[in-house]
Amino acid sequence: MKLPCYIGLSQAREVLAEMGIELNERQIKRAADPDPNGKRKLPFFVDPIDGRLKIEKGALVRIYREAQKNAENNLRV
């Protein structure tokens, strides 16, 4: 069984950069912050121990893969 790997904002930026998605600190923070309705663009959560925002690394990668698949499926040929 593969254990989840939770990463913070800076590590999430690094993971995305490895995938070719360059975001600055403000962009990743904006995706992690809740909108006026309390919804986040990415599934970050507040770590109950240290109070920092975290995301599961596999979920982050999966979201981008699914977005790519959707883009390919909606391609007009």
Side-chain angles (χ1 to χ4, degrees), residues 17-56:
E18 290 172 8
M19 295 170 53
I21 302 162
E22 299 287 336
L23 299 176
N24 61 38
E25 288 180 34
R26 185 169 182 238
Q27 289 171 313
I28 194 76
K29 180 81 170 117
R30 194 170 48 206
D33 285 342
D35 66 10
N37 297 322
K39 303 286 184 177
R40 299 178 194 276
K41 289 182 183 178
L42 294 173
F44 281 91
F45 65 94
V46 178
D47 185 304
I49 296 172
D50 68 10
R52 296 181 185 172
L53 288 172
K54 303 280 177 133
I55 190 171
E56 203 279 316

